[in-house]
Amino acid sequence: MNSLKFKYSKRHRQWSQVVASIAVCVLAALAIHGAGLLSIGTLSSPEEGFVPLIEAGMLAVGGIVLLIRALTQTTEPRIYWPRGDSRRMVVHLAVGLFGYALLLPPLGFTVATFLFLVVAISAWRKYAWWIVALYALSIAITLHLIFSVALSMSLPVGWWANYQLGL
Amino acid sequence: MDTLHNLLGGFAVALQPEMLMYCFIGSLIGTLVGVLPGLGPAAAMAILIPFATGLSPTAAIIMLAAIYYGAMYGGSTTSILLNIPGESASVVTCIDGYEMARQGKAGIALGIAAISSFVAGTLGLFGLIFMAPILVDVALKFGPPEYFALLLLGLTVAVSLAGESLVKGLVAAIVGLLIAAIGIDPQSGIARYTFGTVNMMGGFDVIVVVIGLFAVAEVFVNAESPAFQILQTKIGKLWPSFDDFRRSSGAIGRGSFVGFILGLIPGVSPAVVTFVSYDIEKRISKESEMFGKGAIEGVAAPEGANNACTSAGMVPLFTLGLPTSASLAVLLSALMIHGLQPGPMLFTQQKELVWGVIASMYVGNVMLLILNLPLIPLWVKLLKVPYPILGPLILVICVIAAYGVRSNTFDIWVMLGFGVIGYLMRKLNFPTIPLILALILGDKLENALRQSLTISDGSFIIFLTHPISAGFLAIATVATLWSLYIRYRK
C-alpha cells in the first residue's frame, strides 16, 4: 500500500456510488419485470411471483435511496480504486480467469491450468519466463495427479481426448 | 441424564478411527486456512464441500466443522508474527500480539493464544451441550409463522450489524433473496428468472457463490497489495510462565463468556465478538495503559472469545437451522447437500450425527492444542510461499471446486461472475454476509411466508397473534431501530 498512490477525489467517489446505485435500480427493474411475468396469486394464496415481486419492490426502494444518498451525501467512506500496477494485476488475473474458463472444455484441465498459471504468475513480473513455465508445469501436473488420479475427480479432458474416446 | 447419555454416544462416534482421521484433516486444513491470509474458513469449507460429498454425512460435517474452529486457532499465528490477521476474527490479536512478538515474546503470545482457544472452546462446548436440548424443546413448538419470524430476525440482525450502511446491507440481503428465487419454485414447479436456459433451472449453487464472493474476490483484493515480509524474530519459548497464566486466566474466562453469549446471536461474527471482548478487558483492567503495548490479556481475551463464539454458533445452527455467520451458513449448506435438515428434528432423527459432531469438536480442540504449538515453525515456513504462486494456486483450486459441484463449466462462470461482484462489493462497501445468509435462507423464508399467509387466509396479523413469532419480530424491530440510532449518533 505504501509504495502505490491512490488518488481520491470527491467527484470520483460520487461517480462510483452513483453508478452502483443505478446498477441496483436497473437490477430491481429487471427483477420487477421478471416477477411480473409470473403468477402473483392472492394474499391468501400467494403464488410463485408473489415474494419475488415484494423483494424486487424493496430493492427498487433501496436503489433509489442509495442513488439519492450518492448524489447528495458527503460522508460516505472513501473508495480506493486501484491505480497503475495494482489495477493491472487485478485485470490481469480476472482476464486470465476468464480465458481459463473458456479454454477448459476444449483443452482439458491440465493444459488449460498450465496456460492459466503461466498468465497468472507472470502478472506479478517477479520471475523469468522459464521459471514461470516450470512452476506452472509442476503445479498443473501435481494438481492433475491429486485430483484426477488420486481422488478420481471427473475434470474436463478436452475435445481431443473426447474425440479419441468417441464421446 | 439424557444429555450425558447422548454425549457419551457422541464420543463413541467421534473416537472411531475414521472420524478421528477426518477431524484431524479438518483441524489441519482449518489451521492452515487460518494461517494463510486471504483464504477464510467460509471459502475453504465451500471449496472442500464438493470433495466431501463422497464421505458419510457424519464424517463430512465433522471435517468441515473442524475447519471452522481450526481456522480460529490458526488466525492468531499471522496476527502475532506478521501483524496481519489470518482471519477477520484475529484482527484484535494483532494489537497486543504483534507487540509481544516485537518484545521477543512471540512464543508466549502464540502459546497463550492456543491455550486460551482450547479453554474457551471447551467451555463453549459445555454451553452448547446444555443449551441445545432446551432450544430443541422450544423449536418443536414452531410453525410456519414462527419460522418466518425467526429467519427474518436472523437476516435483520445480520443486516444491522454488517457494514456501515444499513441500506447497503439491506440491498445485499434482498439481492441474496432474489438470487435464491432463481430456478424452479418448489411449490408450483414454475421456472423463475431462468431466461429459458437449462443451466439456470437449478439456480445458482450456494457453494459456487460463496467460493466466488469470498475466495476469488479475496485473491483479487490481495493482488492489489505488495507482498508482506515475515517478522525476522525468534519464536522463543512457547510455554507461558505462572505469572502469564495468572494474568490471563480471568481474561480467558471473561472472553469465553462474552464470546458464547454473543455467538448465539445471528449476524454477530467472531470478529465483532473479539472487539467487544478486548474492549471489556481493557476497561476493567487495572493496567489499561498496557493494552496496545503487549498486554497478555489483550491476546488471551479475544482468542478465547472467538473460539467460544464458534461453539455458540452451533447452537442455533443445529437446533433452529439458523446460521449466525457465513461459515456456519456454508456448514448448513453441507448438511442440506447430505440430505439433512437442521432444526429440532435433526436432534431426534439424527442423534448420532449431531452428538458425534459435538463430541468431535472437543476432540478437535484437544488435537489443535497439541498440534498447534509444535507446528508453528511449519506454518511460518508456509507463509514464505510467495503470493505470486499462492494466489493463482488458490484460483485454480477454486475452479476445481466450482466444477466439482455439478461437473458443469457453467458453475465456473458463475464463480467468476460472483468473484467480480464480490470484489466490487468490497470496494463499494457493500457487505457480503447478508447476501450469503439471504441466499441460503431465502427458500425457507419464502416457504414459511407463503404457508403462513395460506393458513391465515391472507392476514399478516398471524405473525402478531402467535406469541413466539411476535417476540421475534419485536426483537428484529428493536435491533433495527437500535442500529439506526447508533448510526445516527455517529
Side-chain angles (χ1 to χ4, degrees):
Chain A
M1 289 280 280
N2 41 19
S3 65
L4 299 164
K5 286 187 182 166
F6 296 106
K7 191 175 175 183
Y8 165 74
S9 74
K10 185 174 168 180
R11 195 176 61 168
H12 187 200
R13 177 198 71 195
Q14 289 176 336
W15 178 247
S16 302
Q17 298 285 13
V18 169
V19 169
S21 310
I22 291 172
V24 171
C25 292
V26 167
L27 184 64
L30 289 171
I32 289 171
H33 172 71
L37 297 174
L38 302 166
S39 176
I40 306 299
T42 60
L43 269 179
S44 57
S45 180
E47 295 194 13
E48 67 274 5
F50 183 84
V51 173
L53 187 63
I54 296 175
E55 290 165 356
M58 288 173 68
L59 187 64
V61 170
I64 292 168
V65 170
L66 285 178
L67 186 60
I68 294 170
R69 278 172 50 166
L71 291 171
T72 59
Q73 199 183 60
T74 57
T75 55
E76 277 282 336
R78 291 179 172 203
I79 296 174
Y80 291 103
W81 292 104
R83 303 280 293 257
D85 260 356
S86 291
R87 180 162 58 191
R88 182 190 58 75
M89 300 271 280
V90 176
V91 171
H92 197 127
L93 281 179
V95 170
L97 209 46
F98 179 83
Y100 188 20
L102 268 179
L103 293 176
L104 254 178
L107 297 183
F109 172 74
T110 312
V111 175
T113 301
F114 167 73
L115 291 173
F116 168 71
L117 287 171
V118 166
V119 167
I121 297 173
S122 59
W124 272 268
R125 296 181 181 168
K126 197 176 150 124
Y127 306 109
W129 68 267
W130 62 272
I131 294 179
V132 171
L134 199 60
Y135 271 132
L137 187 64
S138 49
I139 292 171
I141 290 174
T142 306
L143 290 175
H144 167 76
L145 290 172
I146 293 172
F147 291 103
S148 297
V149 177
L151 295 176
S152 303
M153 263 193 84
S154 170
L155 292 172
V157 295
W159 290 343
W160 176 248
N162 281 334
Y163 172 73
Q164 299 248 297
L165 291 167
L167 295 171
Chain B
M1 201 60 194
D2 210 24
T3 301
L4 186 61
H5 176 77
N6 287 327
L7 184 60
L8 288 172
F11 272 108
V13 171
L15 292 173
Q16 290 171 18
E18 185 196 356
M19 300 307 161
L20 281 175
M21 182 184 74
Y22 286 116
C23 185
F24 174 77
I25 290 171
S27 302
L28 208 60
I29 294 174
T31 309
L32 174 64
V33 163
V35 164
L36 291 175
L39 191 65
M45 289 158 71
I47 288 170
L48 280 168
I49 283 175
F51 306 122
T53 48
L55 303 176
S56 69
T58 308
I61 302 305
I62 282 176
M63 186 178 76
L64 293 170
I67 293 174
Y68 180 41
Y69 53 80
M72 298 301 143
Y73 275 79
S76 57
T77 304
T78 49
S79 296
I80 291 164
L81 295 179
L82 287 172
N83 199 26
I84 291 175
E87 284 310 306
S88 56
S90 305
V91 167
V92 173
T93 307
C94 288
I95 302 172
D96 282 282
Y98 187 64
E99 277 305 311
M100 286 182 72
R102 285 173 55 159
Q103 293 164 20
K105 298 182 200 169
I108 294 172
L110 290 166
I112 210 69
I115 291 165
S116 175
S117 297
F118 171 74
V119 172
T122 305
L123 292 174
L125 274 173
F126 280 121
L128 165 64
I129 286 164
F130 290 107
M131 276 204 69
I134 297 170
L135 267 181
V136 164
D137 285 340
V138 172
L140 281 168
K141 298 183 175 101
F142 284 10
E146 286 78 13
Y147 269 114
F148 173 77
L150 174 68
L151 295 172
L152 191 65
L153 168 64
L155 272 181
T156 307
V157 175
V159 166
S160 306
L161 294 173
E164 293 207 11
S165 167
L166 193 62
V167 179
K168 286 184 174 177
L170 191 61
V171 163
I174 295 171
V175 169
L177 290 173
L178 282 168
I179 295 172
I182 296 172
I184 305 290
D185 173 43
Q187 290 191 22
S188 63
I190 306 289
R192 300 190 294 191
Y193 298 119
T194 59
F195 306 104
T197 58
V198 173
N199 281 320
M200 300 277 273
M201 294 283 184
F204 291 149
D205 193 276
V206 169
I207 305 304
V208 174
V209 173
V210 171
I211 293 173
L213 280 181
F214 285 90
V216 176
E218 189 68 35
V219 173
F220 288 159
V221 168
N222 288 336
E224 293 178 10
S225 312
F228 45 79
Q229 289 295 322
I230 286 198
L231 179 70
Q232 298 299 325
T233 187
K234 274 191 173 176
I235 301 295
K237 65 170 188 160
L238 294 172
W239 195 252
S241 66
F242 176 77
D243 189 52
D244 293 330
F245 274 120
R246 184 187 57 78
R247 288 167 55 202
S248 316
S249 54
I252 293 172
R254 285 183 290 270
S256 304
F257 180 75
V258 167
F260 188 82
I261 297 299
L262 292 181
L264 294 170
I265 303 170
V268 178
S269 66
V272 168
V273 166
T274 54
F275 275 100
V276 171
S277 173
Y278 184 87
D279 190 49
I280 290 172
E281 213 51 45
K282 189 175 172 183
R283 283 174 195 275
I284 67 171
S285 171
K286 291 175 187 163
E287 296 176 321
S288 58
E289 71 282 357
M290 290 307 298
F291 279 73
K293 296 175 187 166
I296 200 165
E297 297 91 331
V299 173
E303 284 301 311
N306 74 28
N307 273 73
C309 180
T310 58
S311 302
M314 299 290 180
V315 175
L317 178 70
F318 281 130
T319 59
L320 303 171
L322 186 65
T324 53
S325 67
S327 302
L328 290 172
V330 175
L331 196 60
L332 174 67
S333 288
L335 283 162
M336 289 160 67
I337 284 169
H338 280 93
L340 302 164
Q341 190 55 45
M345 300 312 289
L346 192 70
F347 266 80
T348 48
Q349 291 170 356
Q350 297 284 344
K351 267 189 193 174
E352 198 183 89
L353 179 140
V354 172
W355 289 101
V357 171
I358 292 172
S360 77
M361 287 172 66
Y362 183 75
V363 173
N365 266 298
V366 173
M367 281 185 189
L368 284 163
L369 179 67
I370 296 168
L371 280 177
N372 237 316
L373 302 180
L375 286 180
I376 283 168
L378 172 64
W379 304 136
V380 171
K381 277 203 170 59
L382 278 172
L383 283 168
K384 291 180 181 167
V385 172
Y387 201 76
I389 306 296
L390 193 60
L393 179 60
I394 291 172
L395 287 176
V396 172
I397 292 173
C398 288
V399 167
I400 295 171
Y403 183 81
V405 170
R406 296 188 281 204
S407 296
N408 190 340
T409 45
F410 174 73
D411 287 325
I412 299 175
W413 291 107
V414 172
M415 182 204 75
L416 175 57
F418 277 97
V420 173
I421 290 170
Y423 175 74
L424 292 173
M425 284 178 76
R426 299 261 294 253
K427 286 294 172 191
L428 293 162
N429 298 317
F430 279 84
T432 47
I433 290 175
L435 191 155
I436 291 296
L437 280 180
L439 176 58
I440 289 174
L441 300 177
D443 278 344
K444 283 190 195 179
L445 192 76
E446 178 176 350
N447 285 341
L449 176 63
R450 285 164 75 174
Q451 284 171 8
S452 301
L453 288 174
T454 303
I455 291 168
S456 68
D457 203 27
S459 169
F460 283 93
I461 303 293
I462 190 173
F463 299 111
L464 300 176
T465 54
H466 285 228
I468 296 175
S469 162
F472 286 149
L473 291 177
I475 297 171
T477 308
V478 168
T480 308
L481 292 174
W482 178 254
S483 171
L484 281 168
Y485 170 68
I486 297 289
R487 284 175 171 87
Y488 174 72
R489 273 189 64 183
K490 274 186 186 173

